[in-house]
Amino acid sequence: VRKAPLLSELVGDADWPRYETLLAHHGLPPNARAHLKPWAALLILVRPAEPPGIILDHLLLNDARNRGKNVVALESIDEQIAAMNDLPDDTQLALLRHAEANYDRIQESFKPLVQTYLARDLRGMWQINESVMAGDDALAEHNRRFLDSLLFQRNKRFAERLAPLIDRGNCFAAFGALHLYGKRGVPALLAARGYKVTRLY
């Protein structure tokens, strides 16, 4: 059985120290860094380096459980992993290299992203994310694949699985903000299925 190459081998020995330094900055232990798949390292580098505190997803989940609510997952952990793991190897590596090269720029984008989120400006959030990926035409196809797998295909899954739950009544669903945006967002997909969608906040 052929062993999968180490991340240090994929990015190259000359470049690896830069990646390892960033992964260490995010708290990843030394014995795990070189064994990450490119997509896993990517997800670490594109999140805030500072501890996030209480994550809203966890807050909502714990509140629902404390209230005795029935909690239904709209996708499995395996499906979440597959959304990244099934990306072509060249796409994973290209996006990881971009994240490393633009690390400071990505970190600096989080403050305006939070402000835009608090302003309830989904379009503004989308534009901030687009701006981080701008300036590299060679990356466009890789980014298209990334968005399709991580966002748009999952949106379709969410809308399909949410529909029967809505039909039962008394349903509350929570998503990351960008899953709500645009013609391929979950609200638009539900509207296309015949549901009346009204923005309240």
Side-chain angles (χ1 to χ4, degrees), residues 71-140:
V71 177
V72 178
L74 294 178
E75 66 179 350
S76 68
I77 293 176
D78 287 343
E79 287 172 327
Q80 287 182 324
I81 292 173
M84 292 296 294
N85 198 46
D86 290 350
L87 286 170
D89 292 343
D90 64 327
T91 290
Q92 293 185 36
L93 200 52
L95 293 172
L96 175 60
R97 291 188 183 281
H98 179 271
E100 186 276 326
N102 294 273
Y103 180 79
D104 290 340
R105 184 177 166 196
I106 292 169
Q107 292 296 312
E108 290 167 0
S109 74
F110 289 124
K111 184 175 181 179
L113 191 62
V114 169
Q115 292 172 341
T116 308
Y117 172 82
L118 293 174
R120 295 165 282 169
D121 182 2
L122 293 175
R123 179 177 177 80
M125 293 182 67
W126 184 268
Q127 290 173 335
I128 290 172
N129 278 275
E130 279 192 324
S131 70
V132 172
M133 303 301 294
D136 187 347
D137 293 341
L139 200 68

Side-chain angles (χ1 to χ4, degrees), residues 7-27:
L7 183 60
S8 53
E9 297 170 342
L10 292 173
V11 302
D13 291 338
D15 294 334
W16 173 241
R18 299 199 307 272
Y19 290 84
E20 188 168 34
T21 297
L22 294 177
L23 292 170
H25 184 54
H26 281 262

Side-chain angles (χ1 to χ4, degrees), residues 35-57:
H35 295 277
L36 291 173
K37 290 190 175 183
W39 66 263
L42 168 66
L43 291 185
I44 291 171
L45 297 190
V46 298
R47 74 185 188 195
E50 298 298 323
I54 299 176
I55 298 174
L56 181 58
D57 304 46

Side-chain angles (χ1 to χ4, degrees), residues 119-186:
R120 295 165 282 169
D121 182 2
L122 293 175
R123 179 177 177 80
M125 293 182 67
W126 184 268
Q127 290 173 335
I128 290 172
N129 278 275
E130 279 192 324
S131 70
V132 172
M133 303 301 294
D136 187 347
D137 293 341
L139 200 68
E141 176 60 18
H142 297 301
N143 191 44
R144 185 200 66 76
R145 294 173 184 171
F146 175 82
L147 290 174
D148 185 64
S149 185
L150 199 70
L151 194 65
F152 300 136
Q153 293 303 318
R154 293 173 70 214
N155 286 350
K156 290 169 61 177
R157 182 188 303 151
F158 293 158
E160 179 180 339
R161 294 178 181 176
L162 184 58
L165 299 176
I166 294 174
D167 292 341
R168 295 177 197 170
N170 297 319
C171 173
F172 173 86
F175 306 94
L178 289 183
H179 288 288
L180 305 175
Y181 174 71
K183 295 180 179 180
R184 301 176 72 179
V186 175

